[in-house]
PDB file of all heavy atoms in Angstrom:
ATOM      1  N   THR A 140     108.331  89.153  71.455  1.00 98.00           N
ATOM      2  CA  THR A 140     107.062  88.435  71.256  1.00 98.00           C
ATOM      3  C   THR A 140     107.310  86.996  70.793  1.00 98.00           C
ATOM      4  O   THR A 140     108.314  86.710  70.148  1.00 98.00           O
ATOM      5  CB  THR A 140     106.192  89.187  70.234  1.00 98.00           C
ATOM      6  OG1 THR A 140     106.993  89.494  69.092  1.00 98.00           O
ATOM      7  CG2 THR A 140     105.631  90.464  70.813  1.00 98.00           C
ATOM      8  N   VAL A 142     106.392  83.203  68.857  1.00 98.00           N
ATOM      9  CA  VAL A 142     105.888  82.767  67.552  1.00 98.00           C
ATOM     10  C   VAL A 142     104.458  82.230  67.684  1.00 98.00           C
ATOM     11  O   VAL A 142     103.697  82.210  66.720  1.00 98.00           O
ATOM     12  CB  VAL A 142     106.837  81.714  66.930  1.00 98.00           C
ATOM     13  CG1 VAL A 142     106.807  80.386  67.689  1.00 98.00           C
ATOM     14  CG2 VAL A 142     106.494  81.462  65.478  1.00 98.00           C
ATOM     15  N   HIS A 168     109.662  87.240  67.304  1.00 98.00           N
ATOM     16  CA  HIS A 168     110.245  85.936  66.982  1.00 98.00           C
ATOM     17  C   HIS A 168     110.558  85.917  65.489  1.00 98.00           C
ATOM     18  O   HIS A 168     109.709  86.319  64.677  1.00 98.00           O
ATOM     19  CB  HIS A 168     109.246  84.834  67.341  1.00 98.00           C
ATOM     20  CG  HIS A 168     109.853  83.467  67.335  1.00 98.00           C
ATOM     21  ND1 HIS A 168     110.293  82.859  66.190  1.00 98.00           N
ATOM     22  CD2 HIS A 168     110.109  82.605  68.347  1.00 98.00           C
ATOM     23  CE1 HIS A 168     110.791  81.663  66.487  1.00 98.00           C
ATOM     24  NE2 HIS A 168     110.696  81.495  67.795  1.00 98.00           N
ATOM     25  N   GLY A 223     107.676  84.595  76.313  1.00 98.00           N
ATOM     26  CA  GLY A 223     108.284  83.444  75.646  1.00 98.00           C
ATOM     27  C   GLY A 223     108.710  82.392  76.648  1.00 98.00           C
ATOM     28  O   GLY A 223     108.236  82.369  77.790  1.00 98.00           O
ATOM     29  N   GLY A 224     109.604  81.526  76.211  1.00 97.00           N
ATOM     30  CA  GLY A 224     110.054  80.407  77.028  1.00 97.00           C
ATOM     31  C   GLY A 224     111.133  80.800  78.028  1.00 97.00           C
ATOM     32  O   GLY A 224     111.397  81.987  78.246  1.00 97.00           O
ATOM     33  N   GLY A 242     106.501  84.185  81.186  1.00 98.00           N
ATOM     34  CA  GLY A 242     107.303  82.992  80.927  1.00 98.00           C
ATOM     35  C   GLY A 242     106.484  81.750  80.599  1.00 98.00           C
ATOM     36  O   GLY A 242     105.260  81.817  80.413  1.00 98.00           O
ATOM     37  N   GLU A 369     106.332  70.899  78.186  1.00 98.00           N
ATOM     38  CA  GLU A 369     105.282  71.795  77.668  1.00 98.00           C
ATOM     39  C   GLU A 369     105.200  71.512  76.170  1.00 98.00           C
ATOM     40  O   GLU A 369     105.883  72.144  75.360  1.00 98.00           O
ATOM     41  CB  GLU A 369     105.680  73.256  77.926  1.00 98.00           C
ATOM     42  CG  GLU A 369     104.612  74.247  77.556  1.00 98.00           C
ATOM     43  CD  GLU A 369     105.118  75.689  77.500  1.00 98.00           C
ATOM     44  OE1 GLU A 369     106.352  75.926  77.363  1.00 98.00           O
ATOM     45  OE2 GLU A 369     104.273  76.581  77.553  1.00 98.00           O
ATOM     46  N   HIS A 399     102.415  79.285  86.797  1.00 98.00           N
ATOM     47  CA  HIS A 399     101.713  79.889  85.663  1.00 98.00           C
ATOM     48  C   HIS A 399     100.200  79.653  85.783  1.00 98.00           C
ATOM     49  O   HIS A 399      99.461  80.549  86.183  1.00 98.00           O
ATOM     50  CB  HIS A 399     102.282  79.288  84.366  1.00 98.00           C
ATOM     51  CG  HIS A 399     101.941  80.067  83.153  1.00 98.00           C
ATOM     52  ND1 HIS A 399     100.650  80.275  82.732  1.00 98.00           N
ATOM     53  CD2 HIS A 399     102.724  80.701  82.241  1.00 98.00           C
ATOM     54  CE1 HIS A 399     100.648  81.001  81.627  1.00 98.00           C
ATOM     55  NE2 HIS A 399     101.898  81.285  81.306  1.00 98.00           N
ATOM     56  N   ILE A 445     101.242  87.126  80.287  1.00 98.00           N
ATOM     57  CA  ILE A 445     100.913  86.861  81.691  1.00 98.00           C
ATOM     58  C   ILE A 445     102.233  86.732  82.433  1.00 98.00           C
ATOM     59  O   ILE A 445     102.969  85.761  82.244  1.00 98.00           O
ATOM     60  CB  ILE A 445     100.085  85.574  81.815  1.00 98.00           C
ATOM     61  CG1 ILE A 445      98.810  85.738  80.983  1.00 98.00           C
ATOM     62  CG2 ILE A 445      99.727  85.273  83.259  1.00 98.00           C
ATOM     63  CD1 ILE A 445      98.343  84.440  80.422  1.00 98.00           C
TER      64      ILE A 445
HETATM   65  P1  NAD B 501     110.660  81.104  72.543  1.00 58.48           P
HETATM   66  O1  NAD B 501     111.172  81.155  73.935  1.00 58.48           O
HETATM   67  O2  NAD B 501     111.298  80.206  71.569  1.00 58.48           O
HETATM   68  O3  NAD B 501     110.725  82.572  71.906  1.00 58.48           O
HETATM   69  C1  NAD B 501     110.096  83.674  72.505  1.00 58.48           C
HETATM   70  C2  NAD B 501     110.812  84.936  72.078  1.00 58.48           C
HETATM   71  O4  NAD B 501     112.040  85.025  72.767  1.00 58.48           O
HETATM   72  C3  NAD B 501     111.162  84.979  70.590  1.00 58.48           C
HETATM   73  O5  NAD B 501     111.004  86.290  70.103  1.00 58.48           O
HETATM   74  C4  NAD B 501     112.614  84.541  70.570  1.00 58.48           C
HETATM   75  O6  NAD B 501     113.278  85.027  69.444  1.00 58.48           O
HETATM   76  C5  NAD B 501     113.125  85.188  71.851  1.00 58.48           C
HETATM   77  N1  NAD B 501     114.288  84.567  72.475  1.00 58.48           N
HETATM   78  C6  NAD B 501     114.496  83.260  72.714  1.00 58.48           C
HETATM   79  N2  NAD B 501     115.663  83.090  73.366  1.00 58.48           N
HETATM   80  C7  NAD B 501     116.191  84.325  73.570  1.00 58.48           C
HETATM   81  C8  NAD B 501     117.374  84.828  74.202  1.00 58.48           C
HETATM   82  N3  NAD B 501     118.261  84.021  74.755  1.00 58.48           N
HETATM   83  N4  NAD B 501     117.560  86.169  74.210  1.00 58.48           N
HETATM   84  C9  NAD B 501     116.666  87.002  73.654  1.00 58.48           C
HETATM   85  N5  NAD B 501     115.534  86.597  73.047  1.00 58.48           N
HETATM   86  C10 NAD B 501     115.306  85.273  73.006  1.00 58.48           C
HETATM   87  O7  NAD B 501     109.107  80.786  72.680  1.00 58.48           O
HETATM   88  P2  NAD B 501     107.987  80.629  71.555  1.00 58.48           P
HETATM   89  O8  NAD B 501     108.047  79.271  70.990  1.00 58.48           O
HETATM   90  O9  NAD B 501     108.028  81.790  70.639  1.00 58.48           O
HETATM   91  O10 NAD B 501     106.707  80.767  72.473  1.00 58.48           O
HETATM   92  C11 NAD B 501     106.267  79.722  73.299  1.00 58.48           C
HETATM   93  C12 NAD B 501     106.738  79.886  74.716  1.00 58.48           C
HETATM   94  O11 NAD B 501     106.299  81.136  75.226  1.00 58.48           O
HETATM   95  C13 NAD B 501     106.133  78.836  75.622  1.00 58.48           C
HETATM   96  O12 NAD B 501     107.065  78.456  76.591  1.00 58.48           O
HETATM   97  C14 NAD B 501     104.943  79.561  76.241  1.00 58.48           C
HETATM   98  O13 NAD B 501     104.533  79.053  77.491  1.00 58.48           O
HETATM   99  C15 NAD B 501     105.516  80.946  76.393  1.00 58.48           C
HETATM  100  N6  NAD B 501     104.454  81.958  76.414  1.00 58.48           N
HETATM  101  C16 NAD B 501     104.165  82.555  77.598  1.00 58.48           C
HETATM  102  C17 NAD B 501     103.151  83.495  77.646  1.00 58.48           C
HETATM  103  C18 NAD B 501     102.774  84.170  78.923  1.00 58.48           C
HETATM  104  O14 NAD B 501     101.949  85.067  78.871  1.00 58.48           O
HETATM  105  N7  NAD B 501     103.329  83.804  80.068  1.00 58.48           N
HETATM  106  C19 NAD B 501     102.442  83.841  76.485  1.00 58.48           C
HETATM  107  C20 NAD B 501     102.781  83.206  75.296  1.00 58.48           C
HETATM  108  C21 NAD B 501     103.798  82.265  75.266  1.00 58.48           C
END
Side-chain angles (χ1 to χ4, degrees):
T140 49
V142 69
H168 193 293
E369 186 194 21
H399 196 299
I445 301 149

